[in-house]
Structure formats: structure tokens, C-alpha cells
Amino acid sequence: MAYNIDKQRLQSVLNEAYTKFCKDDSGRNADYIPYLASVPSTLFGIAATLPDGTTVTVGDCDYPFGIESVSKVPTALLAMHQHSPEEILDKIGADATGLPFNSIMAILLEKDHPSTPLVNAGAISACSMVLPKGNSDGKWNAIHNFIEELCGSKVEVIEELYHSESATNFNNRSIAWLLRNYARIYDDPDMSLDLYTRQCSLGVTARQLAVMAATIACGGTNPTTHRKVFDAKLSPRITAMMATVGFYECTGDWLFSTGLPAKSGVGGGIMAVVPGKIGIAAFAPPLDEYGNSVKAQKALGYISQELNLNIFNGYV
Ligand code: DON
């Protein structure tokens, strides 16, 4: 039986989640990228987009923050869209590493079999696969346009974040070249790394991320623009990846607790997809020790419970 979420009930639940958690001051902004440390820690917004294109919001949903690792989702989708899910599985993989997002150990352990585009190594590799091969500007246009189509609105690089991140991404540079050593990067390593760094530096709002999530939830058609962005058969693929590794080494705990396929970023954003039903995004900069937003996790967990959104709960 189809389950349509009532808009008024949705607004009430978002308001409740906001009120319940807005005073929670646990966690700390990411500080390994200087720009992120300077974002006001009290910002908090929750947005949700329904299949009819309605977006419901509470709090700071129009503040552009660094998309960071949430950008791994659109680039994985783009790589599957330009190639095929099978080619991505073969060249990158879809397995959780069970290790932190920027793990070099994971590459050393898995050098002869693939990982996933939703950790740094796989994301840099996915950037390397974006077409047109060898053409940095062309590849960037493809990534940028695809993200704008998913959001249904313009997004811009936060230049200060891009420079801050480029000046401090030593670990990611090692990852790019280690991938080259194992022939698991498919274009120039420095170019692929720069594309990854630039996509992480895009400024998005919680409202835009909710639309992106809803576009995935609606099988690739953006419910606000009604444009077909990607083939419906890719939605279950990307949702499976998010469910598997969206929170890195604590993904199992997250999925067990909320039943929501979701992807987090160190900018404080989390985007959750409930197939066919809703896209939800929450944003609050302070992170837990694993790099996931404390308040955004709590808000999404509460919303999942109140609206019965657990994707595994087909039993009632
Ligand atoms: O690669 C990095 O360090 C960042 N640009 C993105 C990391 C990130 O968001 C990890 N997610 N929670």
C-alpha cells in the first residue's frame, strides 16, 4: 500500500526535531580544513522534499555550507550514468571498508580488489572516470552541471573552502598517487584529486540537498523541475551504496538505529533517501568523533522514527 506523507504532519515532526535538538552543543566543527572551523557552530536546519515537489523546512535551510563527502553520491551516480553500474562495480567496487573515510590502510588492504566511490579513494577514482577523459574543464562542467540538475538550482564553489582544502589535502594527495600505483585511477591523479577537492568545496543548502535526495528517491526525476536527470535503474544502486557505507565505519550502527540510507559530510550535512517517499537533509556543523554531524544525525533519527521511514520496516 502506498504511504503518502502528510505535509502538515511532516512540518510538525521537523519542528519537533528542531526544538528537541537545537540546544544540543555536543561535538565540534571539523578543524582539519581551516574554513570549516570558522563556520558558525549554532547553525541548524532540516529540509524535506516530497515526490510532488513540496519542500518543508525548519531552521537554517538557506545557508550554503560545504557539501564535502555528500558530493561522493552525485559523482558516483554520474560515473554510473556515463559508464554503467557494472563498470563501476568492476573498476571501483561497492564494498564498505570498515575504516575511516580517508584511510590509506584500506587501499593497502584492498589493492587487488575494489572498494566504493563513497570513501575518499573511490571518490577520487570516480572523478577520474568522469568523461570527457583528460579534459579537466569538461569533467568539472559535467560534475557541476549534474549536481545542479540533481538540486534543481545553481550551486557555486566556496572559493575560500576550495583554497583551504587544496592547501591542506596532503593525505588525499597520497591516496591519489597510491591508487595510481595500483592502477585504480583512470585519468591523471592530480587532475582527479583537484576535481574531488573542488566538488567537496561546493556550497549547498539543506533545501538543495533535500531536493537532491528526493531526486534519487523519485528514480532520477527531479520532483521540483520535473527533469529526468538519470535512469531510474541507478536509484537502487546508489541507495544501496549509501546504506552500505554512508557513515563509514559506523554505518551499521546508523542503519540499525534509523533504517535510513544516508550520506554525511564533514561540512555538517547529511542527506537521506527513502525510496519513493521522501528526501531529507539536515545540517549542523559540530561533528562526532567519526566526522558525522551530531545534531543532523539526531534529527534524522527522530524523523525516521516519528514518520516510520525505516526502509526495513515492511512488516507492519
Ligand atoms: O576528503 C576530505 O577530507 C573532505 N574534502 C571530505 C571528507 C568528508 O566529508 C568525510 N565525511 N564525513
Side-chain angles (χ1 to χ4, degrees):
M1 189 173 67
Y3 163 58
N4 292 320
I5 297 165
D6 177 75
K7 278 167 211 158
Q8 279 178 345
R9 170 89 180 117
L10 177 62
Q11 182 73 67
S12 306
V13 171
L14 259 57
N15 292 350
E16 284 161 26
Y18 183 86
T19 309
K20 219 168 152 51
F21 304 116
C22 68
K23 298 252 160 41
D24 186 326
D25 62 358
S26 45
R28 290 182 52 201
N29 284 32
D31 56 7
Y32 75 103
I33 299 167
Y35 174 88
L36 296 179
S38 72
V39 175
S41 297
T42 52
L43 289 167
F44 183 30
I46 313 166
T49 302
L50 294 165
D52 70 358
T54 310
T55 297
V56 171
T57 67
V58 62
D60 302 303
C61 289
D62 295 307
Y63 183 95
F65 58 90
I67 186 172
E68 296 295 346
S69 281
V70 181
S71 70
K72 289 166 177 158
V73 171
T75 307
L77 263 173
L78 177 60
M80 289 196 278
H81 173 72
Q82 290 185 332
H83 301 270
S84 68
E86 291 71 27
E87 196 174 337
I88 299 310
L89 184 64
D90 179 47
K91 291 198 161 138
I92 301 174
D95 260 338
T97 61
L99 290 165
F101 62 89
N102 54 2
S103 176
I104 285 181
M105 182 67 76
I107 307 170
L108 298 171
L109 291 172
E110 301 182 15
K111 60 182 182 291
D112 53 1
H113 72 274
S115 168
T116 166
L118 299 196
V119 298
N120 287 19
I124 296 168
S125 193
C127 286
S128 80
M129 287 184 70
V130 170
L131 302 173
K133 191 172 167 63
N135 178 342
S136 176
D137 288 346
K139 283 160 86 91
W140 174 247
N141 286 338
I143 293 170
H144 191 189
N145 290 341
F146 195 70
I147 291 176
E148 290 189 331
E149 286 287 348
L150 290 169
C151 294
S153 50
K154 294 281 166 208
V155 293
E156 281 172 27
V157 169
I158 302 172
E159 289 298 331
E160 199 185 333
L161 176 57
Y162 174 53
H163 292 301
S164 187
E165 199 147 338
S166 300
T168 52
N169 63 353
F170 310 114
N171 191 82
N172 286 343
R173 288 184 217 177
S174 312
I175 288 176
W177 283 96
L178 199 54
L179 290 171
R180 174 68 188 79
N181 186 50
Y182 295 126
R184 283 183 50 203
I185 194 159
Y186 308 99
D187 208 333
D188 179 75
D190 289 328
M191 182 206 290
S192 307
L193 173 65
D194 181 58
L195 290 166
Y196 168 76
T197 310
R198 241 189 292 177
Q199 72 173 34
C200 285
S201 308
L202 282 168
V204 288
T205 64
R207 186 189 294 277
Q208 288 178 311
L209 276 192
V211 175
M212 182 187 290
T215 303
I216 297 171
C218 294
T221 299
N222 185 316
T224 65
T225 63
H226 309 290
R227 286 161 69 97
K228 186 83 189 154
V229 185
F230 61 84
D231 194 285
K233 69 175 193 258
L234 299 183
S235 275
R237 306 292 195 146
I238 195 68
T239 311
M241 280 179 178
M242 292 167 73
T244 308
V245 72
F247 283 72
Y248 310 110
E249 69 271 44
C250 36
T251 306
D253 289 356
W254 167 260
L255 204 56
F256 182 84
S257 308
T258 67
L260 289 180
K263 182 74 202 80
S264 70
V266 292
I270 300 180
M271 169 177 91
V273 172
V274 184
K277 289 183 186 162
I278 193 168
I280 317 174
F283 158 63
L287 310 177
D288 65 16
E289 61 185 302
Y290 302 105
N292 302 316
S293 168
V294 175
K295 284 203 281 278
Q297 288 183 82
K298 289 183 178 171
L300 288 168
Y302 179 79
I303 294 164
S304 175
Q305 182 191 307
E306 291 301 307
L307 295 176
N308 193 19
L309 297 178
N310 186 325
I311 63 161
F312 300 105
N313 197 4
Y315 307 103
V316 286

